[in-house]
């Protein structure tokens, strides 16, 4: 056997299991969902096997004239979900970026301890942690009680069941995902470059924009993507902290599958969300592979 | 106009160690760098060279003392407001910028117009022999080329002083020698004072107008390379620069009587003091004594004879057991054959070439 063909066999053996797993448990369901999104909803749940593009139409504006109306509420939910996910990304970044600099400067021992603390939430249940936030934020919760007892407010504030509460909960849930890539790039930052910039006459602010930010950008972009994607589809946090008032894409999809039993419409929504993310990811991969090609050229 | 571009007055710095003690990195240093001077800081690892440079560039805050650049007190100014630029040991080129952008950085920061910037970048790159490389990325360059970009970047805004912290240590020997000459030429053309840090005494001797030998956070000696080599003020400087034979003893007229009984003759008027002193004889000042040698001699048992090209190096011991190194020009092969056989040599020296170090000058 030639080396090349032996390589190929080796690769096949090594990649076999994961490929099989992905094919069965990822691509399979995905294909089912894709097909479902083009089928008509059954009268009592289930699907009818006819081609039916109006699931997408309901969202995008060409609804089935017989049964359903085009309802701009779905686009509105989509836009507000994107907004909340984007704000989550921004808030998480504002928390993680400075923290990464602080932790990167600690001694090895404290560093590891801090990283351990950041991963600690993974050891407990997400639902439990979110319900603790309910206890903190509700009308008779910790914050309101404290503010009232100090006399700063007369009536409890509406803290829970707001967009703010959702963003707070999401940031809380996704902080580790933002922190890790951001920290990795901050930790790698070569401080002699910062010194070189100061030495050449650039003040701290200019040095930040021209040197520190561009050099840590890969971590920021990576963290933003890793947080944005699950935040856009998340339904647990809005369900717990958003109450019935605030609907996000995740809840909408969940509702279509579990409550309304309109699988085709749920699938169509899911497909749309996924395609948006796919476009985002492709843009990122494209941009970074161009950078990669640059780097390869530079050898 | 003052004739010194930089003045350090009693510059002091101590660092706390993790164990709770402290290390003195700069011990009340007084230093004046002249205009247009190539000054080298030379000393063993940890003697405070980098700390001294960083105190001048502003990255190390002094515990005490002052720093004046061109007559202005810079002690409390941040690095980005000092008219000083640095060439870093690892070049510290910005990886996300092209060579052109790297070079233009100081101008961009200073708000120089784009067209003018481009012109000056081209001129600076030409100066360091990198014409037309503006578009490259730092990673696309060899070590020597990166070094030159770092140099161009540091000189483009015409600082009053350029600091170079072991800029050549990562280069191979040939490139290093070429760069030594280029640096020296560049310094002349620019008319900027350079403070250059090196571990390499050869480099210090060949490049500098003056050399400051540092040890333990103090300047041991600041003088021209020749003066430092020929007239070191203490045995630290004598052993740190070049190979040396040192004989500790007491002066007795025109002789120095070493503790082990060896007598070293010196030119009498060199010393007015008497008492304890150390005599220095450089290896190349020894020669093989002939018949009826008029000069004073020293008999040694040879332990090794090493051929290093232009010279033979003789490693021997006196009858009292003191180690002696001598360098004999390789042209005199006949004599070498003789001593290789007998493993003994009679080394002669000119008393006028013996340098006496007096203990009062010891730090
Ligand atoms: N940031 C610091 N914190 C603590 N100690 C330091 C620090 N910087 C330097 N030192 C100590 O100060 C002393 C002088 O250091 P410096 O870096 O100036 O030496 P150097 O002459 O440049 O040595 P080398 O030739 O190895 O570069 C050393 O003992 C070093 O351990
Ligand atoms: Mg150093």
């Amino acid at each position: 056997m030639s080396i090349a063909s032996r390589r190929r066999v080796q690769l096949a053996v090594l990649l076999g299991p994961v490929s099989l797993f992905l094919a069965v448990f990822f691509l399979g369901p995905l294909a089912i969902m894709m097909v479902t999104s083009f089928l008509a909803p059954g009268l009592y749940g289930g699907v009818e096997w006819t081609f039916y593009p109006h699931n997408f139409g309901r969202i995008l504006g060409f609804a089935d004239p017989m049964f359903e109306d085009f309802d701009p509420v779905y686009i509105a939910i989509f836009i507000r979900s994107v907004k909340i996910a984007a704000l989550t990304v921004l808030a998480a970044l504002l928390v993680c970026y400075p923290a990464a600099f602080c932790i990167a400067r600690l001694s090895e021992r404290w560093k590891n301890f801090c990283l351990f603390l950041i991963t600690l939430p993974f050891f407990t249940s997400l639902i439990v942690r979110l319900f603790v936030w309910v206890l903190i934020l509700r009308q008779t919760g910790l914050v309101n009680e404290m503010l009232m007892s100090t006399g700063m407010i007369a009536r409890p504030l509406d803290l829970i069941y707001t967009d703010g509460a959702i963003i707070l909960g999401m940031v809380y849930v996704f902080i580790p995902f933002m922190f890790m890539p951001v920290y990795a790039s901050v930790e790698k930052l070569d401080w002699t470059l910062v010194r070189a910039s100061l030495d050449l006459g650039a003040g701290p602010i200019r040095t930040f924009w021209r040197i520190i930010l561009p050099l840590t950008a890969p971590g920021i972009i990576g963290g933003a993507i890793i947080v944005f994607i699950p935040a856009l589809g998340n339904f647990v946090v809005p369900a717990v902290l958003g109450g019935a008032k605030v609907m996000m894409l995740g809840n909408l999809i969940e509702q279509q599958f579990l409550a309304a039993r309109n699988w085709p419409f749920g699938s169509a929504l899911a497909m749309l969300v996924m395609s948006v993310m796919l476009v985002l990811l492709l843009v990122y991969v494209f941009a970074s592979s161009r950078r990669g090609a640059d780097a390869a050229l530079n050898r | 106009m003052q004739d010194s571009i930089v003045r350090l007055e009693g510059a002091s710095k101590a660092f706390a160690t993790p164990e709770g003690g402290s290390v003195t990195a700069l011990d009340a240093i007084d230093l004046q760098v002249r205009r247009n001077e190539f000054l080298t800081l030379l000393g063993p690892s940890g003697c405070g060279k980098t700390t001294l440079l960083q105190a001048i560039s502003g990255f190390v805050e002094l515990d005490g003392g002052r720093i004046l650049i061109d007559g202005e007190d810079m002690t409390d100014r941040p690095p980005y407001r000092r008219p000083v630029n640095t060439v870093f040991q690892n070049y510290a080129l910005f990886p996300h910028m092209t060579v052109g952008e790297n070079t233009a950085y100081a101008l961009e920061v200073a708000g120089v117009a784009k067209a003018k910037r481009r012109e000056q970048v081209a001129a600076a790159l030409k100066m360091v022999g990198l014409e037309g490389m503006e578009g490259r990325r730092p990673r696309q360059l060899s070590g020597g080329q990166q070094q030159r970009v770092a140099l161009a970047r540091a000189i483009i805004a015409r600082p009053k002083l350029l600091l170079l912290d072991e800029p050549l240590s990562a280069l191979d020997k040939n490139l290093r020698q070429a760069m030594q000459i280029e640096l020296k030429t560049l310094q002349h053309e620019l008319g900027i004072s350079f403070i250059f840090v090196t571990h390499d005494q050869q480099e210090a001797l060949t490049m500098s107008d003056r050399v400051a030998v540092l040890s333990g956070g103090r300047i041991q000696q600041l003088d021209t390379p020749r003066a430092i080599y020929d007239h070191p003020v203490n045995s630290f400087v004598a052993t740190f620069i070049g190979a040396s034979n040192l004989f500790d003893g007491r002066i007795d007229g025109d002789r120095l009587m070493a503790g082990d009984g060896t007598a070293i003759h010196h030119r009498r008027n060199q010393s007015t003091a008497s008492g304890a002193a150390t005599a220095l004889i450089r290896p190349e000042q020894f020669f093989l004594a002939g018949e009826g040698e008029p000069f004073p001699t020293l008999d040694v048992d040879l332990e090794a004879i090493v051929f290093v090209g232009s010279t033979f190096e003789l490693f021997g011991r006196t009858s009292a057991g003191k180690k002696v190194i001598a360098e004999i020009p390789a042209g005199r092969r006949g004599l070498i054959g003789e001593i290789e056989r007998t493993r003994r040599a009679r080394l002669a020296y000119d008393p006028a070439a013996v340098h006496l170090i007096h203990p009062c000058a010891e730090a």
Side-chain angles (χ1 to χ4, degrees):
Chain A
M1 227 185 326
S2 73
I3 289 178
S5 61
R6 198 179 307 168
R7 268 275 156 72
R8 233 169 285 143
V9 171
Q10 268 175 5
L11 259 179
V13 170
L14 289 174
L15 291 179
V18 70
S19 311
L20 197 70
F21 182 89
L22 284 179
V24 172
F25 294 103
F26 180 70
L27 289 181
L30 201 64
I32 293 174
M33 202 167 76
M34 183 115 118
V35 171
T36 310
S37 69
F38 286 103
L39 297 179
L43 217 48
Y44 306 101
V47 296
E48 279 181 24
W49 285 87
T50 49
F51 178 69
Y52 186 76
H54 302 292
N55 294 316
F56 290 98
R58 239 175 115 181
I59 310 163
L60 299 174
F62 49 99
D64 183 349
M66 299 278 280
F67 303 108
E68 292 146 345
D69 295 323
F70 159 66
D71 192 341
V73 75
Y74 300 119
I75 291 191
I77 289 178
F78 188 88
I79 289 173
R80 93 160 303 122
S81 297
V82 168
K83 197 185 81 190
I84 287 182
L87 285 174
T88 301
V89 165
L90 199 69
L93 188 63
L94 286 179
V95 173
C96 291
Y97 197 55
F101 281 92
C102 294
I103 293 177
R105 300 200 136 200
L106 296 176
S107 72
E108 210 57 34
R109 236 169 85 209
W110 283 107
K111 245 188 234 179
N112 289 334
F113 180 66
C114 288
L115 294 183
F116 167 72
L117 283 185
I118 281 164
T119 51
L120 202 58
F122 288 125
F123 293 103
T124 55
S125 150
L126 172 68
I127 301 291
V128 171
R129 281 185 286 135
L130 280 178
F131 271 106
V132 171
W133 275 109
V134 174
L135 298 183
I136 296 173
L137 295 177
R138 67 181 174 185
Q139 297 255 314
T140 54
L142 198 63
V143 176
N144 274 322
E145 299 268 287
M146 253 167 44
L147 288 177
M148 298 234 292
S149 71
T150 58
M152 285 170 78
I153 52 169
R155 284 163 15 86
L157 300 173
D158 279 332
L159 297 175
I160 199 163
Y161 308 139
T162 57
D163 281 7
I166 296 182
I167 292 173
L168 181 75
M170 296 254 239
V171 169
Y172 172 69
V173 170
F174 290 119
I175 266 190
F177 297 92
M178 177 61 89
F179 185 80
M180 288 306 169
V182 165
Y183 176 74
S185 67
V186 167
E187 162 94 303
K188 260 197 337 219
L189 179 68
D190 180 356
W191 283 92
T192 54
L193 297 178
V194 173
R195 285 189 169 197
S197 170
L198 293 171
D199 187 75
L200 291 165
I205 294 171
R206 190 191 286 265
T207 297
F208 176 78
W209 288 110
R210 289 287 276 137
I211 309 296
I212 298 178
L213 195 62
L215 290 177
T216 51
I220 294 174
I221 295 170
I225 288 176
I226 290 179
V227 171
F228 184 79
I229 290 174
L232 189 60
N234 191 291
F235 63 89
V236 179
V237 177
V240 175
L241 294 175
K245 280 199 293 182
V246 189
M247 174 98 68
M248 280 183 66
L249 273 172
N251 311 91
L252 181 62
I253 295 170
E254 182 216 3
Q255 206 185 54
Q256 292 305 317
F257 276 98
L258 301 182
R261 297 190 54 77
N262 188 341
W263 289 17
F265 185 54
S267 300
L269 282 167
M271 293 305 295
L272 270 183
V273 173
M274 224 166 59
S275 52
V276 168
M277 291 170 182
L278 209 63
V279 168
L280 276 179
L281 267 184
L282 282 179
V283 167
Y284 174 65
V285 168
F286 212 71
S288 62
S289 78
R290 243 197 17 216
R291 223 180 311 132
D294 251 13
L297 239 176
N298 296 343
R299 302 278 141 204
Chain B
M1 189 148 127
Q2 294 171 299
D3 65 354
S4 68
I5 189 81
V6 185
R7 263 169 86 107
L8 274 75
E9 295 172 354
S12 307
K13 179 73 192 179
F15 289 108
T17 58
E19 300 82 47
S22 83
V23 193
T24 307
L26 301 179
D27 189 359
I29 287 200
D30 292 313
L31 173 68
Q32 295 193 26
V33 184
R34 299 177 186 148
R35 270 173 209 287
N36 218 341
E37 177 173 48
F38 198 117
L39 181 88
T40 298
L41 304 180
L42 180 66
S45 191
C47 69
K49 304 182 294 291
T50 299
T51 308
L52 184 56
L53 280 200
Q54 291 185 343
I56 297 172
S57 57
F59 291 107
V60 159
E61 207 177 317
L62 290 180
D63 297 335
R66 294 204 305 160
I67 293 174
L68 293 103
I69 298 176
D70 210 7
E72 267 186 278
D73 193 329
M74 296 278 157
T75 318
D76 297 320
R77 275 213 214 170
Y80 50 92
R81 295 227 187 87
R82 298 193 187 197
V84 173
N85 286 341
T86 306
V87 176
F88 292 85
Q89 179 170 5
N90 62 353
Y91 319 135
L93 298 179
F94 305 129
H96 57 301
M97 297 185 199
T98 61
V99 166
E101 289 165 343
N102 263 286
T103 311
Y105 194 75
L107 298 180
E108 180 199 317
V109 166
V112 175
K114 210 161 192 173
K116 189 131 186 253
R117 231 148 67 192
R118 191 166 313 141
E119 207 173 283
Q120 278 178 272
V121 165
L125 287 179
K126 186 174 174 187
M127 211 161 193
V128 297
L130 290 179
E131 269 176 286
M133 296 242 194
E134 281 93 339
R136 298 259 201 116
R137 296 260 165 189
R139 276 169 306 183
Q140 289 171 289
L141 302 178
S142 71
Q145 289 170 326
Q146 290 183 25
Q147 175 70 76
R148 286 156 204 261
V149 177
L151 204 57
R153 185 179 72 173
I155 58 170
I156 195 160
R158 298 297 150 122
K160 293 186 174 168
L161 179 70
L162 190 69
L163 308 177
L164 305 99
D165 195 351
E166 304 195 35
L168 306 182
S169 61
L171 304 180
D172 67 58
K173 193 160 170 258
N174 286 335
L175 192 54
R176 203 178 159 124
Q177 281 173 347
M179 281 303 286
Q180 285 175 7
I181 298 166
E182 276 183 46
L183 267 182
K184 185 75 190 152
T185 321
L186 192 68
Q187 189 255 333
H188 257 283
E189 282 173 21
L190 290 169
I192 296 176
S193 302
F194 280 27
I195 303 185
F196 181 91
V197 166
T198 182
H199 264 114
D200 183 335
Q201 39 148 318
Q202 207 59 48
E203 205 163 271
L205 295 180
T206 48
M207 296 176 77
S208 324
D209 296 321
R210 287 192 304 163
V211 177
V213 182
L214 267 80
S215 164
R218 281 166 171 270
I219 295 181
Q220 303 292 328
Q221 189 169 4
L222 172 59
D223 216 327
T224 61
R226 285 204 56 176
I228 289 208
Y229 188 81
D230 290 340
H231 306 294
V233 295
N234 59 35
S235 36
F236 172 80
V237 176
T239 44
F240 194 73
I241 303 209
S244 55
N245 298 291
L246 292 174
F247 302 88
D248 294 327
R250 301 193 70 77
I251 293 172
D252 175 17
D254 62 355
R255 290 185 311 172
L256 176 131
M257 297 303 297
D260 60 15
T262 315
I264 302 295
H265 294 255
H266 61 89
R267 200 177 58 203
R268 190 170 186 175
N269 61 5
Q270 179 181 350
S271 119
T272 49
S274 59
T278 302
L280 164 68
I281 306 179
R282 295 287 185 190
E284 68 276 11
Q285 280 155 354
F286 282 120
F287 51 93
L288 293 173
E291 288 293 324
E293 179 64 52
F295 281 118
T297 59
L298 206 60
D299 288 322
V300 295
D301 292 317
L302 293 173
E303 291 173 340
I305 302 170
V306 180
F307 176 58
V308 290
S310 56
T311 56
F312 283 97
E313 283 181 0
L314 310 184
F315 295 87
R317 276 179 197 276
T318 63
S319 51
K322 168 120 183 74
K323 279 189 177 174
V324 172
I325 309 174
E327 244 176 66
I328 308 295
R332 316 195 63 184
R333 279 175 198 243
L335 285 169
I336 294 294
E338 164 84 11
I339 62 172
E340 261 179 335
R341 203 160 36 72
T342 61
R343 307 299 287 180
R344 285 183 61 78
R346 172 162 288 184
L347 300 173
Y349 58 91
D350 180 352
V354 174
H355 171 64
L356 286 185
I357 297 167
H358 297 281
C360 54
E362 298 264 357

